[in-house]
């Protein structure tokens, strides 16, 4: 906003993940949360919640047998938002290191570059984001849409 109000050029892109919450591996996520210092009480509650969680398919009014999933965190749970934020931390750090302004909200990523070399920086950010997401591909869903556009006030 500051760049637009000042009349400066900006460039950026956004990424929208498909089935973001369904692809997160629970055990890896909980281990990551422990490594960064999440409260043991919260961790114990999450482990208990996911350890007891059973899923069922519902088709045409019928409900199938229970089964346990190895991947997938509960969408809408505030704790799930923390898990997603932890998973996006390497990307956020990389984007800040490059000099861009990253933003994360659940399954949406946004980057804005507002410097004299904004278009080049945005292009590098797109490349690095794609590479990082590819490298982390074992436990992040591929984006369903990436959009990029230079913006002028």
């Amino acid at each position: 906003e500051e760049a637009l109000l000042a009349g400066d050029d900006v460039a950026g892109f956004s990424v929208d993940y498909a089935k973001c919450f369904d692809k997160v591996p629970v055990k890896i996520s909980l281990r990551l949360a422990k490594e960064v210092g999440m409260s043991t009480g919260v961790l114990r509650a999450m482990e208990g919640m996911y350890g007891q969680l059973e899923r069922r398919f519902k088709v045409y009014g019928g409900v199938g047998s229970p089964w346990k999933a190895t991947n997938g965190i509960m969408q809408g749970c505030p704790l799930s938002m923390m898990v997603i934020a932890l998973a996006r931390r390497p990307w956020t750090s990389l984007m800040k290191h490059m000099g861009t302004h990253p933003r994360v909200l659940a399954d949406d990523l946004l980057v804005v570059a507002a410097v004299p070399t904004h278009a080049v920086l945005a292009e590098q950010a797109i490349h690095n984001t794609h590479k990082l997401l590819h490298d982390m591909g074992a436990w992040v869903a591929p984006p369903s849409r990436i959009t990029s556009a230079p913006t002028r006030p």
Side-chain angles (χ1 to χ4, degrees):
E1 285 182 16
E2 289 176 19
L4 290 173
L5 290 173
D8 297 334
D9 288 342
V10 298
F13 67 94
S14 64
V15 176
D16 181 36
Y17 279 91
K19 302 290 185 188
C20 175
F21 290 85
D22 297 338
K23 303 285 185 180
V24 176
V26 175
K27 288 183 180 180
I28 292 173
S29 299
L30 293 176
R31 202 167 41 229
L32 177 62
K34 181 179 181 179
E35 289 294 319
V36 299
M38 184 178 277
S39 160
T40 55
V42 173
L43 272 171
R44 192 170 39 254
M46 288 178 72
E47 288 169 347
M49 177 175 65
Y50 284 110
Q52 298 176 40
L53 183 63
E54 292 182 340
R55 299 174 188 220
R56 297 169 186 255
F57 288 110
K58 181 179 177 184
V59 180
Y60 298 114
V63 179
S65 300
W67 57 279
K68 290 192 178 276
T70 57
N71 288 349
I73 56 177
M74 291 187 276
Q75 191 169 352
C77 173
L79 297 174
S80 295
M81 295 297 284
M82 289 191 310
V83 170
I84 295 292
L86 283 172
R88 304 297 183 253
R89 182 82 171 123
W91 175 82
T92 304
S93 296
L94 175 63
M95 293 298 108
K96 284 181 179 178
H97 179 74
M98 290 180 61
T100 66
H101 304 283
R103 298 290 180 264
V104 175
L105 179 60
D107 60 347
D108 297 313
L109 307 178
L110 171 69
V111 169
V112 175
V115 295
T117 57
H118 64 280
V120 172
L121 187 56
E123 185 177 336
Q124 290 171 347
I126 290 171
H127 171 76
N128 287 338
T129 297
H130 183 267
K131 182 176 179 348
L132 183 65
L133 296 178
H134 183 267
D135 291 349
M136 295 175 69
W139 75 291
V140 292
S144 60
R145 181 178 64 233
I146 297 177
T147 58
S148 173
T151 308
R152 290 207 86 136

